[in-house]
Amino acid sequence: MYLPLIQNSAYILNLTVNKVNICPLHGKKGQSSSTENGPFCCKGGVMQLLRAAPAFFATAFHPGVKSPVDIRAAACTMEITDQTEARKRMEYRIERDSMGEVRVPADRYWGAQTQRSHENFPIGVGIETMPTEIIRAFAVLKKAAAIANRELLPARMSAEKCALIGRVCDEILAGELDGHFPLVVWQTGSGTQSNMNVNEVIANRGNELAGKKLLHPNDDVNMSQSSNDTFPTAMHIAACLAVEDRLLPAVSALEQTLLRLEAENADVLKSGRTHLQDATPITFAQEISGWRTSLARDRELLTAALPPLRELALGGTAVGTGLNAPDGFDRAVAAAVAELTGKPFVTASNKFHALTSRDELVFAHGAVKALACDMMKIANDVRWLASGPRTGLGEIAIPANEPGSSIMPGKVNPTQCEAVTMVAVQVMGNDAAVGIAASQGNFELNVFMPVCAYNFLQSVRLLSEAIASFDKNCASGICANREKMDENVRRSLMLVTALNPHIGYENAARIAKKAYAENLTLREACAALELLPPEEFDRIVRPERMV
């Protein structure tokens, strides 16, 4: 078969050797032949067919080259028949957009606009690419848009086109086309090139499936849409699905683990601590219940953040007026998104707000940050309680998952806690980025959307996975050291608090200070100060009654 090289008038082709002759290009004996189509060249030992129009070579190689002899000489000079060069040329195809021609990798479905962005923004390539969640969300909304356009604009969106768009979107959702979305976060602030990346992939893959040029990336796949309403819509879809399908289940699972630990430790008494100092007694179950309830409240806050995120900008098109979208498109496409995802998405009541404001994401990420804060606290509590094993608190044991030191044998560290706390720090930093990005709405459009989406989704992804890992590899294996907890609570000076109603705060403080200074028990210090008889002290100071 023939492969186009830059212009349609030039072709190169490998050919099986038929006979030995004088090469018409190189003028020496070798493997060569000739047909009505032109000469075959032996250069590099590979038979290749060169067909060329004089006008093409005159433009591409040498001004004034007109005759077939000159054409062959020019081609030889430019080493057009070199095998390596031929392979390189075979790796690309020519795509066109409103700005002209662009060379695109032949094995990729993206088109000219994607390629321009890929070349113009070499920032974090292969590392900080547009999140997969955004690409999947685009697939949902493109399929939904095709369905809505089929209903409202049947003359333009034929059944065949609608079905083809939907089929490619399903391939994207299944992860079958992941290698065709190379663009980075650090691009245009509206995300236009990523919208076009999806449009081009759907169109080119669809045309391949159809065996004909049926879909146009702008006229068909992007029908009734603008990057300015599709990217905010993709952000909301991706954010909702990430929170609802990944983060909330991880939180709920950890809650259940903590609920089990509460039941197992209902009768375990321990010292409470405030400011990292001894405080009045508490049960271990009560301490765990504080962790669990924090997570339950975070889950409530995250759930409260979902309804605003379910409002979609789609239908606002370029500036919120809905130009080029048919009446009812916004409601129809939101209903289609809801049907495809199983989530109650609706159209935004005010598209001007939906295009320029990102406050729904800021609010939702605030709830994500609240969860990160609580996870930081829980992880810190766990590693403090597990500190030791002999010179720390040592009140709980946690799973020993891996060696903790390359030099200290037998050392085991609270690594899951450390991972959670690092993730929490990242989420808190991301919250600043999300907030600042959301503040950059100028007139009718926010132009910091990719960085906003990137940080939001990274926070949810990291926190979901960190919580699940912490649950599986740490929390589920927490075991109370009952003997150590009992020893610590009975040595605690803050048991003296129970004496306040009987001898007053000042006298109780005298007992605590004397006991600490002279290394006495509270009972011994109270007797030495003759503030209460020993049997009365014993009646009042009962740790199990102080919880």
Side-chain angles (χ1 to χ4, degrees):
M1 60 181 292
Y2 292 106
L3 183 74
L5 295 183
I6 307 177
Q7 297 279 346
N8 292 333
S9 54
Y11 298 89
I12 199 163
L13 178 70
N14 291 335
L15 183 75
T16 304
V17 176
N18 291 321
K19 61 181 179 178
V20 176
N21 206 337
I22 303 298
C23 176
L25 290 186
H26 298 93
K28 56 186 178 182
K29 190 172 182 179
Q31 297 170 335
S32 63
S33 185
S34 154
T35 71
E36 60 181 345
N37 294 318
F40 291 97
C41 176
C42 69
K43 186 170 179 60
V46 177
M47 299 296 290
Q48 296 173 318
L49 168 64
L50 180 66
R51 298 177 58 214
F56 166 69
F57 279 105
T59 316
F61 297 113
H62 263 294
V65 172
K66 300 297 180 184
S67 71
V69 174
D70 289 336
I71 292 169
R72 290 195 294 272
C76 185
T77 302
M78 297 302 293
E79 296 190 337
I80 191 67
T81 57
D82 181 80
Q83 186 178 8
T84 303
E85 181 65 20
R87 286 204 185 99
K88 288 181 180 178
R89 291 177 182 274
M90 291 173 65
E91 293 173 0
Y92 295 92
R93 71 179 189 277
I94 299 302
E95 287 275 349
R96 295 170 179 82
D97 61 11
S98 61
M99 295 183 70
E101 295 182 343
V102 181
R103 198 169 71 159
V104 176
D107 62 345
R108 291 294 178 260
Y109 291 122
W110 69 70
Q113 291 199 43
T114 302
Q115 187 64 29
R116 291 188 193 279
S117 181
H118 193 39
E119 294 173 1
N120 291 338
F121 298 98
I123 310 169
V125 175
I127 300 172
E128 292 175 320
T129 53
M130 190 60 65
T132 302
E133 298 95 329
I134 290 291
I135 303 303
R136 301 282 197 275
F138 262 112
V140 170
L141 75 87
K142 293 296 177 182
K143 183 174 182 178
I147 293 170
N149 281 319
R150 174 62 185 154
E151 175 187 343
L152 300 171
L153 298 171
R156 293 176 57 197
M157 180 59 68
S158 67
E160 184 181 13
K161 288 181 178 180
C162 182
L164 204 54
I165 290 172
R167 180 177 172 183
V168 179
C169 288
D170 288 343
E171 290 184 353
I172 295 172
L173 290 169
E176 296 173 12
L177 302 178
D178 284 352
H180 299 270
F181 302 98
L183 300 189
V184 294
V185 171
W186 318 110
Q187 53 163 285
T188 174
S190 62
T192 299
Q193 270 67 60
S194 283
N195 178 43
M196 284 307 303
N197 186 182
V198 176
N199 290 336
E200 291 173 340
V201 168
I202 293 173
N204 286 333
R205 171 58 176 157
N207 290 337
E208 181 182 70
L209 291 171
K212 59 183 176 179
K213 190 170 179 60
L214 182 68
L215 298 177
H216 187 279
N218 297 82
D219 298 334
D220 298 309
V221 186
N222 204 57
M223 186 186 297
S224 307
Q225 306 153 60
S226 162
S227 299
N228 297 352
D229 65 350
T230 57
F231 202 92
T233 296
M235 290 170 72
H236 277 210
I237 293 172
C240 274
L241 296 181
V243 169
E244 199 164 357
D245 295 346
R246 298 189 65 182
L247 188 54
L248 289 177
V251 173
S252 295
L254 182 54
E255 283 184 69
Q256 292 303 308
T257 296
L258 296 179
L259 192 63
R260 172 180 61 79
L261 289 173
E262 279 183 62
E264 293 173 358
N265 294 279
D267 61 340
V268 179
L269 200 64
K270 68 183 292 291
S271 178
R273 294 180 178 87
T274 58
H275 306 273
L276 294 180
Q277 305 296 307
D278 298 345
T280 54
I282 190 174
T283 67
F284 190 32
Q286 289 172 329
E287 192 165 57
I288 295 171
S289 75
W291 303 341
R292 177 183 54 78
T293 302
S294 293
L295 296 180
R297 178 54 53 86
D298 293 327
R299 181 166 45 80
E300 292 171 2
L301 296 174
L302 288 165
T303 301
L306 289 174
L309 284 176
R310 294 188 185 119
E311 296 187 13
L312 304 181
L314 209 54
T317 64
V319 294
T321 61
L323 180 67
N324 290 350
D327 290 341
F329 176 79
D330 56 350
R331 295 184 298 276
V333 75
V337 170
E339 178 70 21
L340 292 171
T341 60
K343 312 292 184 186
F345 287 103
V346 296
T347 188
S349 59
N350 188 300
K351 303 301 190 299
F352 306 103
H353 162 83
L355 266 61
T356 194
S357 176
R358 302 275 64 83
D359 55 8
E360 296 87 355
L361 282 164
V362 173
F363 181 79
H365 198 276
V368 174
K369 183 177 73 169
L371 174 60
C373 292
D374 281 329
M375 285 304 302
M376 171 77 85
K377 191 268 182 193
I378 293 168
N380 276 332
D381 282 356
V382 169
R383 62 176 171 176
W384 273 108
L385 289 172
S387 62
R390 291 188 174 179
T391 60
L393 295 179
E395 291 190 344
I396 65 171
I398 57 176
N401 295 320
E402 63 272 316
S405 173
S406 62
I407 189 172
M408 293 176 281
K411 195 173 192 297
V412 176
N413 296 327
T415 52
Q416 290 293 318
C417 298
E418 291 164 1
V420 167
T421 54
M422 286 192 290
V423 165
V425 167
Q426 184 65 57
V427 171
M428 294 175 201
N430 287 352
D431 190 69
V434 169
I436 295 171
S439 72
Q440 300 305 305
N442 305 121
F443 302 111
E444 278 65 60
L445 186 67
N446 178 285
V447 290
F448 280 62
M449 287 191 284
V451 70
C452 189
Y454 176 74
N455 281 275
F456 186 99
L457 293 169
Q458 184 193 57
S459 291
V460 175
R461 182 171 58 252
L462 288 178
L463 203 49
S464 300
E465 293 174 1
I467 290 172
S469 179
F470 177 77
D471 184 11
K472 176 184 176 182
N473 299 308
C474 182
S476 62
I478 289 175
C479 183
N481 185 339
R482 296 182 177 228
E483 294 76 14
K484 186 65 174 178
M485 286 183 174
D486 185 68
E487 175 190 345
N488 287 342
V489 74
R490 299 198 180 277
R491 292 176 60 242
S492 172
L493 296 176
M494 291 305 99
L495 295 177
V496 76
T497 306
L499 296 176
N500 286 356
H502 303 277
I503 60 176
Y505 181 93
E506 297 295 338
N507 282 330
R510 289 172 60 200
I511 293 173
K513 290 178 179 180
K514 184 176 181 64
Y516 180 69
E518 300 179 18
N519 197 25
L520 302 173
T521 66
L522 289 174
R523 188 176 189 273
E524 291 169 342
C526 182
L529 292 171
E530 298 181 346
L531 291 172
L532 281 176
E535 58 275 11
E536 184 67 7
F537 179 93
D538 292 340
R539 184 186 67 81
I540 297 170
V541 181
R542 301 284 296 276
E544 65 277 10
R545 294 181 180 177
M546 298 170 66
V547 296

